[in-house]
Amino acid sequence: MSVSDDLHKRLASAPVVPLVVPDDPETAIKTTQALVAGGLTVIEVVLRTPEAVECLSEVVSAVPDAIVGAGTVLSERQAAEVVFAGAQFIISPGLYAPVVEYAKSARLPIFPGVATASEAQNAWNMGLRSLKFFPASLAGGPAMLKAIGSVFKDVKFMPTGGVSAANLSDYLALPNVLACGGSWLTPKSAIAEGNYQIIADLAAEAVAIASKARG
Ligand code: 3PG
């Protein structure tokens, strides 16, 4: 099975992508293991700390049950770094053609962020049919996705930014939502306390909400 097929299969059964903000490899690995234990196996490690690329590489090797992607990929250079580190998909906050092209050349799924119809149209003309919707709550939330869905009928979105257990089912009720992303599953306080059970419980709660929303 290709990475893309595996990714879509996993997102069909558990349509939630937790963000891991890595401070060091050990906590990034434990956080990812807790998410997998809770039932979420598609993980986004974001490039927001100096240690992020090293953490990504360690998580990829230490947690083979997870599909680990890189998020907050802003440049072609970062795209090259995360591919070298073993990222299995790439997510960007915005739409930047060189990152899209790099991911395509590396044969990795790429989810660039869009927040407007023009950005979605540009992405559609780049041949993309799966897009991040960011920042979801500020860019119009489920109502915007519903409106945009009537135009981009063959596009699926991954809303991220302001998604939580409280509004997850509102997004997942929409047919054009592939999955929701978010950091609510990996609270900094739980990681600081070393309480990874909280993270596993939040993941399990998200899986339960998703299965109820998706029937
Ligand atoms: C992202 O990078 O996708 C967002 O910063 C995540 O937003 P959240 O913290 O509101 O989940």
Side-chain angles (χ1 to χ4, degrees):
M1 195 188 301
S2 71
V3 177
S4 177
D5 288 348
D6 193 10
L7 183 67
H8 282 86
K9 197 174 154 208
R10 291 180 193 222
L11 292 181
S13 68
V16 178
V17 180
L19 259 66
V20 172
V21 183
D23 285 322
D24 63 85
E26 193 191 333
T27 55
I29 289 167
K30 286 185 175 163
T31 303
T32 305
Q33 285 169 334
L35 292 164
V36 170
L40 297 178
T41 63
V42 179
I43 311 292
E44 175 185 351
V45 176
V46 294
L47 301 194
R48 295 191 201 163
T49 55
E51 307 77 11
V53 175
E54 183 201 345
C55 292
L56 170 70
S57 158
E58 300 269 340
V59 170
V60 169
S61 339
V63 196
D65 291 344
I67 293 193
V68 184
T72 323
V73 175
L74 302 179
S75 65
E76 192 177 355
R77 181 176 165 181
Q78 287 183 333
E81 284 173 0
V82 300
V83 169
F84 188 71
Q88 290 155 294
F89 62 93
I90 290 177
I91 300 187
S92 291
L95 179 65
Y96 181 58
V99 170
V100 171
E101 290 312 319
Y102 193 93
K104 282 185 178 174
S105 70
R107 298 181 181 282
L108 287 194
I110 165 84
F111 302 88
V114 301
T116 65
S118 295
E119 292 159 3
Q121 188 172 337
N122 274 333
W124 189 87
N125 279 295
M126 290 177 191
L128 300 170
R129 298 294 181 266
S130 299
L131 305 174
K132 173 171 172 163
F133 176 54
F134 175 77
S137 56
L138 294 172
M144 173 68 165
L145 282 172
K146 214 170 176 178
I148 224 170
S150 63
V151 182
F152 298 100
K153 289 189 179 299
D154 55 353
V155 176
K156 299 268 189 210
F157 294 91
M158 195 190 297
T160 309
V163 181
S164 67
N167 60 17
L168 179 61
S169 53
D170 297 339
Y171 285 103
L172 294 179
L174 299 172
N176 62 340
V177 168
L178 175 67
C180 289
S183 65
W184 86 94
L185 300 141
T186 54
K188 277 195 171 120
S189 52
I191 295 168
E193 285 165 18
N195 189 346
Y196 294 96
Q197 189 56 46
I198 291 181
I199 293 172
D201 291 347
L202 286 167
E205 178 193 39
V207 170
I209 293 170
S211 60
K212 204 170 163 200
R214 290 271 153 109

CSV table of all heavy atoms in Angstrom, one decimal, residues 124-156:
chain,number,residue,atom,x,y,z
A,124,TRP,N,-6.0,24.0,-6.3
A,124,TRP,CA,-6.7,23.0,-7.2
A,124,TRP,C,-6.0,23.0,-8.6
A,124,TRP,O,-5.8,21.9,-9.2
A,124,TRP,CB,-8.2,23.5,-7.4
A,124,TRP,CG,-9.1,22.5,-8.1
A,124,TRP,CD1,-9.8,21.5,-7.5
A,124,TRP,CD2,-9.4,22.5,-9.5
A,124,TRP,NE1,-10.5,20.9,-8.5
A,124,TRP,CE2,-10.3,21.5,-9.7
A,124,TRP,CE3,-9.0,23.3,-10.5
A,124,TRP,CZ2,-10.8,21.2,-10.9
A,124,TRP,CZ3,-9.5,23.0,-11.8
A,124,TRP,CH2,-10.4,21.9,-12.0
A,125,ASN,N,-5.6,24.2,-9.0
A,125,ASN,CA,-4.8,24.2,-10.3
A,125,ASN,C,-3.4,23.6,-10.3
A,125,ASN,O,-2.8,23.4,-11.3
A,125,ASN,CB,-4.9,25.6,-10.9
A,125,ASN,CG,-6.2,25.9,-11.6
A,125,ASN,OD1,-6.5,25.3,-12.6
A,125,ASN,ND2,-6.9,26.8,-11.0
A,126,MET,N,-2.9,23.4,-9.1
A,126,MET,CA,-1.7,22.7,-8.9
A,126,MET,C,-1.9,21.2,-8.8
A,126,MET,O,-1.0,20.4,-8.6
A,126,MET,CB,-1.0,23.1,-7.6
A,126,MET,CG,-0.4,24.5,-7.6
A,126,MET,SD,0.3,24.9,-6.0
A,126,MET,CE,0.6,26.7,-6.2
A,127,GLY,N,-3.1,20.8,-9.0
A,127,GLY,CA,-3.5,19.4,-9.0
A,127,GLY,C,-3.8,18.8,-7.6
A,127,GLY,O,-3.9,17.6,-7.5
A,128,LEU,N,-3.9,19.7,-6.6
A,128,LEU,CA,-4.1,19.2,-5.3
A,128,LEU,C,-5.6,19.1,-5.0
A,128,LEU,O,-6.4,19.9,-5.3
A,128,LEU,CB,-3.4,20.2,-4.3
A,128,LEU,CG,-1.9,20.4,-4.5
A,128,LEU,CD1,-1.4,21.5,-3.6
A,128,LEU,CD2,-1.2,19.1,-4.1
A,129,ARG,N,-5.9,18.0,-4.3
A,129,ARG,CA,-7.3,17.8,-3.9
A,129,ARG,C,-7.5,17.6,-2.4
A,129,ARG,O,-8.6,17.3,-1.9
A,129,ARG,CB,-7.8,16.5,-4.7
A,129,ARG,CG,-7.8,16.7,-6.2
A,129,ARG,CD,-8.8,17.8,-6.6
A,129,ARG,NE,-8.8,17.9,-8.1
A,129,ARG,CZ,-8.1,18.8,-8.8
A,129,ARG,NH1,-7.2,19.7,-8.1
A,129,ARG,NH2,-8.1,18.9,-10.1
A,130,SER,N,-6.4,17.6,-1.6
A,130,SER,CA,-6.5,17.6,-0.2
A,130,SER,C,-5.7,18.8,0.4
A,130,SER,O,-4.5,18.9,0.2
A,130,SER,CB,-5.8,16.3,0.4
A,130,SER,OG,-6.5,15.1,-0.2
A,131,LEU,N,-6.4,19.6,1.1
A,131,LEU,CA,-5.8,20.9,1.6
A,131,LEU,C,-6.1,21.1,3.1
A,131,LEU,O,-7.1,20.7,3.6
A,131,LEU,CB,-6.5,22.1,0.8
A,131,LEU,CG,-6.4,22.0,-0.7
A,131,LEU,CD1,-7.2,23.2,-1.3
A,131,LEU,CD2,-5.0,22.1,-1.2
A,132,LYS,N,-5.1,21.7,3.7
A,132,LYS,CA,-5.3,22.2,5.1
A,132,LYS,C,-6.2,23.4,5.0
A,132,LYS,O,-6.1,24.2,4.1
A,132,LYS,CB,-4.0,22.5,5.7
A,132,LYS,CG,-4.0,23.1,7.1
A,132,LYS,CD,-2.6,23.2,7.7
A,132,LYS,CE,-2.7,24.0,9.0
A,132,LYS,NZ,-1.5,23.7,9.8
A,133,PHE,N,-7.1,23.6,6.0
A,133,PHE,CA,-7.9,24.8,6.1
A,133,PHE,C,-7.4,25.5,7.3
A,133,PHE,O,-7.7,25.0,8.4
A,133,PHE,CB,-9.4,24.5,6.1
A,133,PHE,CG,-10.3,25.7,6.3
A,133,PHE,CD1,-10.2,26.8,5.4
A,133,PHE,CD2,-11.2,25.7,7.3
A,133,PHE,CE1,-11.1,27.9,5.6
A,133,PHE,CE2,-12.1,26.7,7.5
A,133,PHE,CZ,-12.0,27.8,6.6
A,134,PHE,N,-6.7,26.6,7.2
A,134,PHE,CA,-6.1,27.3,8.3
A,134,PHE,C,-6.1,28.8,8.2
A,134,PHE,O,-5.9,29.3,7.1
A,134,PHE,CB,-4.6,26.8,8.4
A,134,PHE,CG,-3.8,27.4,9.4
A,134,PHE,CD1,-3.9,27.0,10.8
A,134,PHE,CD2,-2.9,28.5,9.1
A,134,PHE,CE1,-3.1,27.7,11.7
A,134,PHE,CE2,-2.1,29.1,10.1
A,134,PHE,CZ,-2.3,28.7,11.4
A,135,PRO,N,-6.3,29.5,9.3
A,135,PRO,CA,-6.7,29.0,10.7
A,135,PRO,C,-8.2,28.8,10.7
A,135,PRO,O,-9.0,29.7,10.6
A,135,PRO,CB,-6.2,30.1,11.6
A,135,PRO,CG,-6.2,31.4,10.8
A,135,PRO,CD,-6.0,30.9,9.3
A,136,ALA,N,-8.6,27.6,10.9
A,136,ALA,CA,-10.0,27.2,10.6
A,136,ALA,C,-11.0,28.0,11.3
A,136,ALA,O,-12.0,28.5,10.7
A,136,ALA,CB,-10.2,25.7,11.0
A,137,SER,N,-10.9,28.2,12.6
A,137,SER,CA,-12.0,28.9,13.3
A,137,SER,C,-12.0,30.4,12.9
A,137,SER,O,-13.1,31.0,12.7
A,137,SER,CB,-11.8,28.8,14.8
A,137,SER,OG,-10.6,29.3,15.2
A,138,LEU,N,-10.8,31.0,12.7
A,138,LEU,CA,-10.8,32.4,12.3
A,138,LEU,C,-11.2,32.6,10.8
A,138,LEU,O,-11.6,33.7,10.4
A,138,LEU,CB,-9.4,33.1,12.5
A,138,LEU,CG,-9.1,33.1,14.0
A,138,LEU,CD1,-7.6,33.6,14.2
A,138,LEU,CD2,-10.0,34.1,14.7
A,139,ALA,N,-11.0,31.6,10.0
A,139,ALA,CA,-11.2,31.7,8.5
A,139,ALA,C,-12.7,31.3,8.2
A,139,ALA,O,-13.0,31.2,7.0
A,139,ALA,CB,-10.3,30.8,7.8
A,140,GLY,N,-13.5,31.2,9.2
A,140,GLY,CA,-14.9,31.0,8.9
A,140,GLY,C,-15.5,29.6,9.4
A,140,GLY,O,-16.7,29.4,9.3
A,141,GLY,N,-14.6,28.8,9.9
A,141,GLY,CA,-15.1,27.5,10.6
A,141,GLY,C,-15.9,26.7,9.6
A,141,GLY,O,-15.8,26.7,8.4
A,142,PRO,N,-16.8,25.8,10.2
A,142,PRO,CA,-17.6,24.9,9.4
A,142,PRO,C,-18.5,25.6,8.3
A,142,PRO,O,-18.6,25.1,7.2
A,142,PRO,CB,-18.5,24.2,10.4
A,142,PRO,CG,-17.7,24.3,11.7
A,142,PRO,CD,-17.0,25.6,11.6
A,143,ALA,N,-18.9,26.8,8.6
A,143,ALA,CA,-19.8,27.5,7.7
A,143,ALA,C,-19.0,27.8,6.4
A,143,ALA,O,-19.5,27.7,5.3
A,143,ALA,CB,-20.3,28.8,8.3
A,144,MET,N,-17.8,28.2,6.5
A,144,MET,CA,-16.9,28.5,5.4
A,144,MET,C,-16.6,27.3,4.6
A,144,MET,O,-16.7,27.3,3.3
A,144,MET,CB,-15.6,29.2,5.9
A,144,MET,CG,-14.6,29.4,4.8
A,144,MET,SD,-15.0,30.6,3.6
A,144,MET,CE,-13.4,30.9,2.8
A,145,LEU,N,-16.4,26.2,5.3
A,145,LEU,CA,-16.1,24.9,4.6
A,145,LEU,C,-17.3,24.4,3.8
A,145,LEU,O,-17.2,23.9,2.7
A,145,LEU,CB,-15.7,23.8,5.6
A,145,LEU,CG,-14.2,23.9,6.1
A,145,LEU,CD1,-14.0,23.0,7.2
A,145,LEU,CD2,-13.3,23.7,4.9
A,146,LYS,N,-18.5,24.7,4.4
A,146,LYS,CA,-19.7,24.3,3.7
A,146,LYS,C,-19.9,25.1,2.4
A,146,LYS,O,-20.2,24.6,1.3
A,146,LYS,CB,-20.9,24.6,4.6
A,146,LYS,CG,-22.1,23.7,4.5
A,146,LYS,CD,-23.0,23.9,5.6
A,146,LYS,CE,-24.2,23.1,5.5
A,146,LYS,NZ,-25.1,23.2,6.6
A,147,ALA,N,-19.6,26.4,2.5
A,147,ALA,CA,-19.7,27.3,1.4
A,147,ALA,C,-18.7,27.0,0.3
A,147,ALA,O,-19.1,26.9,-0.9
A,147,ALA,CB,-19.6,28.8,1.8
A,148,ILE,N,-17.5,26.8,0.7
A,148,ILE,CA,-16.4,26.5,-0.3
A,148,ILE,C,-16.6,25.1,-0.9
A,148,ILE,O,-16.3,24.9,-2.1
A,148,ILE,CB,-15.1,26.6,0.5
A,148,ILE,CG1,-14.1,27.4,-0.4
A,148,ILE,CG2,-14.5,25.4,0.9
A,148,ILE,CD1,-12.8,27.8,0.3
A,149,GLY,N,-17.3,24.2,-0.2
A,149,GLY,CA,-17.5,22.8,-0.7
A,149,GLY,C,-18.5,22.8,-1.8
A,149,GLY,O,-18.4,21.9,-2.7
A,150,SER,N,-19.3,23.8,-1.9
A,150,SER,CA,-20.3,23.8,-3.0
A,150,SER,C,-19.6,24.2,-4.3
A,150,SER,O,-20.1,24.0,-5.4
A,150,SER,CB,-21.4,24.8,-2.7
A,150,SER,OG,-20.9,26.1,-2.6
A,151,VAL,N,-18.4,24.8,-4.2
A,151,VAL,CA,-17.6,25.2,-5.4
A,151,VAL,C,-16.5,24.2,-5.8
A,151,VAL,O,-16.4,23.7,-6.9
A,151,VAL,CB,-16.9,26.6,-5.2
A,151,VAL,CG1,-16.2,27.0,-6.4
A,151,VAL,CG2,-18.0,27.6,-4.8
A,152,PHE,N,-15.7,23.8,-4.7
A,152,PHE,CA,-14.6,22.8,-4.9
A,152,PHE,C,-15.1,21.4,-4.5
A,152,PHE,O,-14.8,20.9,-3.5
A,152,PHE,CB,-13.4,23.3,-4.1
A,152,PHE,CG,-12.9,24.6,-4.5
A,152,PHE,CD1,-13.2,25.7,-3.7
A,152,PHE,CD2,-12.1,24.8,-5.6
A,152,PHE,CE1,-12.7,27.0,-4.1
A,152,PHE,CE2,-11.6,26.0,-6.0
A,152,PHE,CZ,-12.0,27.1,-5.2
A,153,LYS,N,-15.9,20.9,-5.4
A,153,LYS,CA,-16.6,19.6,-5.1
A,153,LYS,C,-15.7,18.4,-4.9
A,153,LYS,O,-16.1,17.5,-4.3
A,153,LYS,CB,-17.7,19.3,-6.2
A,153,LYS,CG,-18.8,20.3,-6.1
A,153,LYS,CD,-20.0,19.9,-7.0
A,153,LYS,CE,-21.1,20.9,-7.0
A,153,LYS,NZ,-21.7,21.0,-5.6
A,154,ASP,N,-14.5,18.5,-5.5
A,154,ASP,CA,-13.6,17.3,-5.4
A,154,ASP,C,-12.5,17.5,-4.5
A,154,ASP,O,-11.5,16.8,-4.5
A,154,ASP,CB,-13.1,16.9,-6.8
A,154,ASP,CG,-12.4,18.1,-7.5
A,154,ASP,OD1,-12.5,19.2,-7.0
A,154,ASP,OD2,-11.8,17.8,-8.6
A,155,VAL,N,-12.6,18.6,-3.6
A,155,VAL,CA,-11.5,18.9,-2.7
A,155,VAL,C,-11.9,18.5,-1.3
A,155,VAL,O,-13.1,18.7,-0.8
A,155,VAL,CB,-11.2,20.4,-2.7
A,155,VAL,CG1,-10.1,20.7,-1.7
A,155,VAL,CG2,-10.7,20.8,-4.1
A,156,LYS,N,-11.0,17.9,-0.5
A,156,LYS,CA,-11.2,17.6,0.9
A,156,LYS,C,-10.3,18.5,1.7
A,156,LYS,O,-9.2,18.8,1.3
A,156,LYS,CB,-10.9,16.1,1.2
A,156,LYS,CG,-11.7,15.1,0.4
A,156,LYS,CD,-12.9,14.7,1.2
A,156,LYS,CE,-13.6,13.6,0.5
A,156,LYS,NZ,-15.1,13.6,0.8
